[in-house]
Amino acid sequence: MKIGTLLLIFSLFGFYAYANEQSSIGYKTVELALEALKNKQGTELSVQGGWTIVEDKEESNMVLWSFTPSAHPAYPAAVKRKVLERDGKVYIQMSALCQAKKAACDKLMQEFEQLNKNIMKN
């Protein structure tokens, strides 16, 4: 299933952590997450608009990772979206680790939430 298709058929659950809190993405830092995913067999890596995008799988669920470009105010940050199916419906569970200032991290999450809402309207 391609990313564009997935973005059209989801609801959102959002969670994110700052560097000083326990990571909700399963890695202690954004750098460790990116390095592990680059070296993980079966992942597909691309760069889109400066963002590093990694497609992965956890169990039978597709996972889409988005890593901020170095020029982004929330850099370094990683947003993880896991596609889940419940009761015949497809959802995306979103979590993030943001190691920038709180205001930049909050804005990043708002941008993802707004993007998700816009996609849901279409």
Side-chain angles (χ1 to χ4, degrees), residues 26-101:
Y27 297 94
K28 195 171 187 173
T29 68
V30 172
E31 181 181 359
L32 288 173
L34 182 56
E35 192 62 32
L37 291 165
K38 283 181 177 178
N39 293 315
K40 185 177 178 185
Q41 187 174 6
T43 60
E44 291 184 34
L45 184 118
S46 64
V47 176
Q48 300 174 20
W51 289 71
T52 300
I53 308 298
V54 180
E55 290 183 46
D56 189 18
K57 283 207 175 245
E58 288 182 4
E59 299 163 358
S60 62
N61 301 306
M62 181 182 175
V63 179
L64 178 65
W65 293 82
S66 302
F67 293 87
T68 52
S70 60
H72 194 282
Y75 177 83
V79 179
K80 176 184 178 184
R81 294 174 173 185
K82 182 189 289 188
V83 179
L84 304 169
E85 186 176 338
R86 293 186 189 139
D87 299 325
K89 295 182 181 179
V90 176
Y91 299 91
I92 293 223
Q93 180 182 45
M94 187 171 81
S95 56
L97 175 61
C98 185
Q99 296 177 279
K101 293 185 178 184

